[in-house]
Amino acid sequence: MISKKVSVLCCLIGLFCCGCSQTAADVSQGLTTAADEPVTATIFAMDTYMTLTAYGKGAQEAIEQGQTCIETLDAMLSTGLDTSEVSRVNQNGSGILSEDAANILTRALEISAETDGAFNPLMYPIMEAWGFPTQNYRVPDEKELDALLERIDTSQVAFDAQSGAVTFLREGMEMDLGGIAKGYTSAKLMDLFASCGVTSGMVSLGGNVQVLGCKPDGTNWRIALQNPDGSDNYLGVLETSDMAVITSGGYERYFEQDGVTYHHIIDPSTGFPADSGLCSVTIVSADGTLADGLSTALFVMGLEKSIAFWQTHSENFDAIFLTDDDQLYVTASIAEDFVDAYYDVTVIEEG
Ligand code: ADP
Ligand code: MG
């Protein structure tokens, strides 16, 4: 009796499995085809065009959730939107940040400390003095900028990362998380893609790229770096997987007055656009937030200090530097992955 039952059960399981495997084969065939077809979206947010790409199972959901995620972070962090969390804190001199904003400020203050202040999340008063937010550009004089430097002193922020409570201890202090927001966003998008089951995806947030896994065919992603000269000749191509590849350059946002170019990356020690001899800095790191913060910071620091910084933090990131006189430098760990370089490459060795 028992054996009969068992045999019937086996038979049912057999049938079920058979039916199942038939269906599974059909579906998986469908998915194999779909895996080669990306689901993509292009949106305008954080003042730039963003492209999201995901392959395979969960891709549709990942892209939909990704768009919502970007919109939420933009509405939270935008200095151009009066109702954003950042703007409210800037208007009131204090406030409670939500989890994401508190996470970003935490990382921003950490990176500021690690880079000896080259990255500074309080640049807004100085950005305003130069007219960057409104595009009513002007050149402030040294006296005006000197006075504003008081307002970007990170020691004058009382911040409790746990509760998100932030208070500026001096009048006129204002946050600007624009130097790190896109990297935090791309990192969050990769987590979100993964939680949707996506194993192959890419986001480009205004040229700042982060990739999840490899391409669907199992080979590395090929990320072309823009040439600051505006030509179609790429600086080179980085072959990589599971990395953020984030670039800062003075050529991205600037204005000209009396024949002089003034760009949007400010040296916090002077209040003037950084003039460190670097034309662009690309950071390659598994940590998108770090990559964005460091791309801005190392642009301010210049080549020599950046090399020393990399030599003591080489486990966390790699970098590609282009100097104002077209010298291209690549850190040793990614030298072989950086191909089709437009200029001769100097490899930066470990210290
Ligand atoms: P982009 O946002 O154009 O990709 P960055 O990541 O280098 O480039 O960020 C530049 C932005 O960061 C500026 O527009 C400004 O909002 C802010 N910023 C400028 N100078 C600094 C600095 N020294 N530290 C941190 N943020 C800065
Ligand atoms: Mg940056």
Side-chain angles (χ1 to χ4, degrees):
M1 190 65 190
I2 287 175
S3 65
K4 204 172 173 191
K5 257 192 188 166
V6 170
S7 74
V8 170
L9 205 62
C10 283
C11 186
L12 278 175
I13 290 170
L15 274 176
F16 183 69
C17 285
C18 196
C20 215
S21 66
Q22 186 69 45
T23 319
D26 289 342
V27 171
S28 87
Q29 212 163 31
L31 280 180
T32 313
T33 319
D36 295 336
E37 292 295 325
V39 180
T40 62
T42 301
I43 63 170
F44 188 83
M46 300 183 180
D47 274 341
T48 194
Y49 282 96
M50 304 187 161
T51 331
L52 316 188
T53 309
Y55 290 85
K57 202 164 162 268
Q60 186 67 41
E61 197 192 343
I63 296 298
E64 279 166 19
Q65 286 189 22
Q67 282 175 273
T68 309
C69 168
I70 290 171
E71 282 156 15
T72 306
L73 288 175
D74 195 12
M76 181 188 296
L77 304 173
S78 170
T79 45
L81 187 71
D82 281 351
T83 53
S84 75
E85 277 184 41
V86 165
S87 292
R88 290 204 169 158
V89 170
N90 286 349
Q91 289 151 19
N92 301 331
S94 67
I96 308 282
L97 297 177
S98 66
E99 194 182 334
D100 275 310
N103 284 344
I104 302 179
L105 184 58
T106 303
R107 295 300 307 279
L109 290 168
E110 272 168 22
I111 294 170
S112 184
E114 278 164 15
T115 59
D116 217 4
F119 185 88
N120 185 312
L122 301 171
M123 295 307 286
Y124 205 60
I126 292 184
M127 298 309 287
E128 281 181 310
W130 287 94
F132 280 105
T134 55
Q135 297 184 12
N136 290 324
Y137 300 117
R138 59 188 280 274
V139 180
D141 63 27
E142 217 173 307
K143 223 172 114 198
E144 181 182 348
L145 290 172
D146 273 350
L148 289 175
L149 291 184
E150 284 215 336
R151 301 189 189 179
I152 65 163
D153 182 346
T154 50
S155 74
Q156 299 302 305
V157 180
F159 176 50
D160 178 36
Q162 211 65 39
S163 64
V166 59
T167 305
F168 298 141
L169 303 177
R170 275 192 196 137
E171 254 330 273
M173 291 174 73
E174 291 174 294
M175 282 189 276
D176 176 356
L177 302 173
I180 196 169
K182 289 199 285 277
Y184 181 86
T185 304
S186 65
K188 193 160 169 128
L189 288 170
M190 295 297 94
D191 290 346
L192 200 150
F193 278 23
S195 73
C196 290
V198 170
T199 51
S200 175
M202 144 139 89
V203 296
S204 171
L205 314 185
N208 297 313
V209 173
Q210 190 158 354
V211 293
L212 180 68
C214 299
K215 285 195 291 184
D217 66 5
T219 60
N220 277 332
W221 296 96
R222 286 172 51 85
I223 301 166
L225 303 196
Q226 194 193 331
N227 198 323
D229 71 6
S231 70
D232 289 338
N233 306 312
Y234 295 125
L235 262 194
V237 173
L238 185 75
E239 298 182 336
T240 193
S241 59
D242 280 318
M243 286 288 163
V245 181
I246 295 190
T247 301
S248 284
Y251 59 91
E252 286 172 336
R253 194 166 298 194
Y254 62 88
F255 68 95
E256 278 176 20
Q257 190 172 303
D258 301 329
V260 183
T261 302
Y262 300 94
H263 63 71
H264 70 137
I265 302 174
I266 305 293
D267 183 342
S269 68
T270 63
F272 281 90
D275 186 17
S276 67
L278 287 175
C279 183
S280 86
V281 176
T282 300
I283 304 293
V284 182
S285 172
D287 178 344
T289 312
L290 180 75
D292 199 0
L294 289 185
S295 72
T296 309
L298 270 54
F299 184 90
V300 170
M301 283 157 88
L303 185 66
E304 239 173 83
K305 279 191 192 165
S306 292
I307 290 175
F309 187 85
W310 176 73
Q311 286 170 335
T312 49
H313 297 84
S314 60
E315 71 284 8
N316 296 327
F317 76 98
D318 277 286
I320 301 163
F321 303 97
L322 181 71
T323 64
D324 287 337
D325 52 0
D326 292 338
Q327 304 290 313
L328 195 49
Y329 291 81
V330 179
T331 55
S333 337
I334 55 163
E336 285 192 358
D337 308 323
F338 187 62
V339 298
D340 302 340
Y342 188 65
Y343 300 107
D344 287 344
V345 170
T346 304
V347 176
I348 301 168
E349 301 295 344
E350 296 270 1

